[in-house]
Amino acid sequence: MVPTLRQPAGAQAYAALLSTASGIVLVLTLGVLALAPLGEQALRVGVAAGFACVIVGGLVFALSSGLPLPQGGPSSATALVLGGLVSQLVQDPGVELGSAAGLAAVLAVAGSAVVLMGVLQMLMGLSGLGRLAQFVPQPVLAGFMNGVAVLILISQLPPLLGLPAKVPLGAPGTLALMQPQTLAIGAATALLTWYVARRWPRLPAPLLGLLGGSLLHAALLAGLPELALGPRMGALPHDTPWPHTLLPLLGAPAQDLLQRHAGALLATAAVLALVSALETLLAAVVVDQLMHTRHSGRRELLAVGAANVACGCWGGLPLVLSRARVIASFDAGGHGRGAAWLALPLFTALWLWGGPLLALLPRTVLAGLMVVVAFALVDRWTRQLLRQWHAGDRTPELRTGLVLVALVALVTMWLGFVAAVALGVLLSTALFVRRMNRSLLRSRSSGELRPSRRIYARAQEALLAPLRRRITVLELEGALFFGTAERLASEADTRPADCRVLVLDFRRVSGIDETGAVLLQNLQQRLALRGVALRLAGVTPEHAHGRRLRACGCFRGSETTDWWPDTDRAMEAAEALLLAEAGAAAAQAALPLAQTALLHGLAPAQAAAVAQRLGLQHLAAGALLFSQGDPGDRLYVLTEGSVSIVGSEGGQRYVSYSPGAIFGEAAMLDGAGRSASAMADGPAVVHTLSAAALDELATSDPALALVLMRNIALHLSQRLRGADWAWRAAAG
């Protein structure tokens, strides 16, 4: 929801003026940059394309966007991408730029690429695929933007050096035609713009740089009229734009050109759609941060797509949400949509009646402003990596990042934007697979460090303790898919030689694809042939992972006795298997009271004296012995069945007790309430010793009471040692 913002008309008008000032430099330069392959026609057609973008496209975007600052305009990256297509079109032997029909055919095909770009962006918005543009890996994005920055700098060298438009930069004799004074004016313009933006960030630095550079040019020309200072913008078109750019497609020349370059047109439109979507969504985040709003990515892609369809019909440059115009408007106090609406007639007035004034602008001054734009495009993350490298950081991650950035940048400059995006897709896939493959295994541990929360009888625990090392636990993280399946198989094969049970913890697994499901089933069968039992933790028939495995056609013939809701239960099942193979029952059904931990080491007469003071309770399966918050006035001794300590909701198991165990003693000793609930796992029998009975025994038989307290303390100590694995896991 966009907040309703009402501001004084003066603040909105001032913001619109600064927004127009920040946009006019891009309008005058990016159109020429995109259509430079047209030669002498580039200035006239390029400036018209820039104005059509901010006027026609800006109007459609302002009408359809949901942002409070809907400031649209051209961008350097999209202008260069479109310029690559135009360059390919003008090199076609069948194109005659000197004729009106040839020029119209080139512009019609270029305009159709912008229209198709807009259609693709609207489809991205409708399908939700626009979110994928936000997940481009940082090295790929950084390399692309750095390549664009270098290309802009190269394209501005001719006007900075005062070279005639028809002279290529590397042609013989170019050095003799260079004009150092022209370069000095461009450099002074760039430095002034940079200094103003750095020293006074709220001032319109591009406008002040434009005025300062133009005044310097005029002063030098007045004082030294014989000095060559490079060309000016010259006469600009002032006719009213109409949506006739695509009309030549009805004729044979344009249709033939379109057919010959259909592949390049489709690729260019796809790249433009992706780059424009990414720039727009990133700029929308800036608006959210400035205005404390939340944009709809779907709506903004539909808006920018509709604007680009209009731009293509009017022969305009591709449009994006202009971050420079947004920030200029906000810093000037324009915090609402009014600034965007007021900027539209300002641009229109400049287009219709500002031609004579704009024609006086020196080309080297505009080139100096574009140099500032190019340096601003250099990726900040890349700068940080270079600073770390200079400081002596030589980590593999840093080296890989810099290599990927340089590779994408070089491909962008050498082979063009389509090849750079194709390389970016391949690198994105490779980086994704590598990252997922590396992060699949979160931790590896043995059963000694990850015992279950079952407290066994003394004899069982003595038998089980040396056997737990035969349990291996692999905690997984991320997605189990075609890129990580082989990693899991390799990790399973590196288990210890005496491993009997392999437990896979799926608690942090985000998803399973068909390849991962089939590999998991094959892994179970392969391990079984080697005498290793597989237990899956965090997988049940009702859970998403269990349903996914079944949907992939796996584990359908199994009773899933190897699936458990959590690692604790899976570990208990693994311990039960080891106990069974050692000839002991996993759970002892009953234990005489004299053999419990409380009465350990007592003489028969002492045991009988204690037994007389104990209460007796029979519990049915699922019955609550006590609830969280109940008074802790007694301890319990389990002689039959199993009792678990669970959370208040009855879901999380903290510990389970076997016959012979003591529990509830901590609350009795400190007098506090019960910190959790106790529930019978099945039919159970417990004996109770109240605090009052223990106090009476301490008075009548202090020696016996001392032995009981020692047994209670020993039992507490053993429980603390058993919980040590959880503390280690949490610390890790």
Side-chain angles (χ1 to χ4, degrees):
M1 181 72 67
V2 177
T4 300
L5 300 172
R6 296 181 178 178
Q7 292 183 289
Q12 295 283 22
Y14 180 64
L17 178 63
L18 293 192
S19 173
T20 305
S22 64
I24 192 63
V25 175
L26 300 178
V27 168
L28 296 176
T29 55
L30 293 184
V32 179
L33 180 66
L35 301 178
L38 297 179
E40 296 179 351
Q41 304 282 1
L43 179 63
R44 180 180 66 84
V45 180
V47 173
F51 275 105
C53 173
V54 292
I55 297 173
V56 178
L59 175 62
V60 175
F61 185 70
L63 286 171
S64 51
S65 171
L67 297 172
L69 296 173
Q71 307 269 10
S75 75
S76 304
T78 55
L80 282 173
V81 173
L82 184 63
L85 176 64
V86 174
S87 177
Q88 182 173 337
L89 294 175
V90 299
Q91 293 175 14
D92 189 298
V95 173
E96 296 182 7
L97 283 181
S99 65
L103 178 62
V106 171
L107 296 179
V109 174
S112 64
V114 179
V115 171
L116 180 57
M117 161 202 181
V119 173
L120 291 176
Q121 287 180 318
M122 289 192 288
L123 291 177
M124 291 167 64
L126 291 173
S127 63
L129 292 178
R131 290 176 295 180
L132 296 178
Q134 302 179 64
F135 296 103
V136 178
Q138 185 60 36
V140 175
L141 178 61
F144 183 83
M145 297 309 297
N146 292 336
V148 169
V150 174
L151 287 175
I152 291 176
L153 287 175
I154 294 174
S155 68
Q156 298 307 307
L157 287 178
L160 282 173
L161 297 174
L163 297 177
K166 296 182 179 181
V167 178
L169 189 60
T174 303
L175 186 62
L177 298 175
M178 293 182 181
Q179 302 172 5
Q181 60 274 16
T182 305
L183 177 61
I185 294 176
T189 302
L191 288 174
L192 175 61
T193 305
W194 171 82
Y195 182 77
V196 171
R198 184 179 180 86
R199 183 68 176 83
W200 301 285
R202 291 187 176 275
L203 293 180
L207 178 60
L208 295 178
L210 180 66
L211 294 176
S214 299
L215 290 175
L216 176 61
H217 183 277
L220 289 176
L221 195 61
L224 302 170
E226 71 282 357
L227 193 63
L229 298 178
R232 300 177 185 270
M233 286 290 292
L236 299 177
H238 57 274
D239 54 321
T240 304
W242 294 100
H244 54 70
T245 302
L246 303 184
L247 290 180
L249 291 176
L250 300 176
Q255 289 181 3
D256 293 341
L257 185 63
L258 180 63
Q259 292 176 1
R260 290 194 298 270
H261 299 276
L265 185 146
L266 292 174
T268 301
V271 174
L272 284 172
L274 179 63
V275 174
S276 174
L278 185 60
E279 289 197 62
T280 297
L281 293 177
L282 291 177
V285 174
V286 174
V287 175
D288 288 343
Q289 294 171 349
L290 294 174
M291 303 294 294
H292 307 290
T293 56
R294 183 177 178 85
H295 74 276
S296 168
R298 178 178 180 273
R299 178 171 179 177
E300 297 315 312
L301 285 178
L302 290 173
V304 76
N308 279 312
V309 170
C311 285
C313 294
W314 260 269
L317 297 179
L319 178 136
V320 303
L321 175 60
S322 175
R323 187 183 314 189
R325 293 189 60 200
V326 164
I327 295 176
S329 178
F330 182 85
D331 288 343
H335 299 172
R337 302 173 68 88
W341 293 114
L342 291 174
L344 292 174
L346 291 178
F347 277 117
T348 304
L350 282 172
W351 168 247
L352 295 177
W353 302 296
L357 180 62
L358 297 177
L360 299 176
L361 294 176
R363 295 286 299 277
T364 184
V365 171
L366 295 175
L369 293 175
M370 286 303 299
V371 168
V372 178
V373 171
F375 276 103
L377 285 176
V378 175
D379 181 64
R380 294 183 179 180
W381 180 69
T382 307
R383 300 177 193 174
Q384 178 59 38
L385 293 186
L386 291 174
R387 284 193 292 267
Q388 291 178 227
W389 181 271
H390 182 70
D393 187 351
R394 298 295 188 271
T395 59
E397 292 78 11
L398 179 64
R399 187 182 301 111
T400 301
L402 287 173
V403 169
L404 291 177
V405 169
L407 182 61
V408 176
L410 288 174
V411 171
T412 301
M413 294 183 291
W414 181 33
L415 299 178
F417 298 96
V418 176
V421 170
L423 175 65
V425 171
L426 293 176
L427 289 178
S428 300
T429 304
L431 290 173
F432 174 74
V433 172
R434 180 189 178 200
R435 183 167 54 250
M436 295 301 294
N437 186 51
R438 183 175 55 191
S439 64
L440 176 66
L441 182 64
R442 178 180 174 88
S443 68
R444 174 194 290 269
S445 59
S446 71
E448 293 174 304
L449 295 177
R450 296 286 299 270
S452 73
R453 298 189 183 115
R454 164 72 60 185
I455 304 298
Y456 294 93
R458 289 177 180 273
Q460 291 173 309
E461 181 61 33
L463 183 63
L464 184 59
L467 297 177
R468 284 196 177 100
R469 61 182 175 79
R470 302 189 63 190
I471 305 173
T472 299
V473 183
L474 299 182
E475 185 180 5
L476 308 180
E477 183 178 44
L480 179 59
F481 73 120
F482 68 91
T484 60
E486 186 58 35
R487 171 72 186 278
L488 176 59
S490 300
E491 291 294 341
D493 288 337
T494 58
R495 68 194 185 285
D498 62 345
C499 176
R500 178 65 181 86
V501 184
L502 177 64
V503 177
L504 299 181
D505 183 358
F506 276 73
R507 178 180 45 170
R508 290 183 171 85
V509 172
S510 58
I512 305 173
D513 76 346
E514 292 80 1
T515 304
V518 172
L519 175 135
L520 202 58
Q521 180 172 258
N522 293 341
L523 179 63
Q524 181 193 45
Q525 297 168 353
R526 190 170 78 249
L527 290 175
L529 293 175
R530 300 176 183 177
V532 180
L534 182 67
R535 297 291 182 263
L536 305 184
V539 180
T540 64
E542 299 78 20
H543 187 268
H545 291 332
R547 295 197 304 270
R548 179 60 178 163
L549 290 173
R550 293 285 181 83
C552 293
C554 300
F555 297 94
R556 284 190 167 274
S558 171
E559 296 297 327
T560 64
T561 55
D562 48 0
W563 291 6
W564 299 95
D566 52 42
T567 308
D568 176 38
R569 300 288 184 177
M571 289 300 300
E572 184 178 355
E575 292 168 347
L577 176 62
L578 295 178
L579 284 173
E581 292 179 347
Q588 195 166 359
L591 191 71
L593 183 61
Q595 297 180 21
T596 61
L598 181 64
L599 275 61
H600 178 70
L602 294 183
Q606 291 177 312
V610 174
Q612 292 176 358
R613 292 173 169 82
L614 297 180
L616 180 64
Q617 287 185 249
H618 291 269
L619 303 174
L624 278 175
L625 181 60
F626 55 77
S627 298
Q628 182 175 348
D630 287 351
D633 57 354
R634 65 195 62 218
L635 61 78
Y636 300 88
V637 181
L638 179 65
T639 58
E640 186 175 340
S642 174
V643 174
S644 293
I645 306 300
V646 297
S648 59
E649 301 298 326
Q652 167 102 31
R653 177 175 80 157
Y654 299 136
V655 66
S656 291
Y657 295 105
S658 301
I662 305 170
F663 60 93
E665 73 281 9
M668 186 190 75
L669 293 176
D670 63 18
R674 302 294 181 187
S675 58
S677 302
M679 177 184 296
D681 299 321
V685 176
V686 296
H687 300 262
T688 63
L689 176 64
S690 66
L694 185 59
D695 291 340
E696 188 274 330
L697 186 62
T699 301
S700 61
D701 192 344
L704 178 56
L706 182 60
V707 175
L708 291 181
M709 294 298 294
R710 185 197 64 187
N711 286 346
I712 294 172
L714 180 62
H715 187 71
L716 276 171
S717 174
Q718 292 172 342
R719 283 169 53 189
L720 288 174
R721 287 183 180 273
D724 181 58
W725 68 268
W727 298 339
R728 295 186 189 182

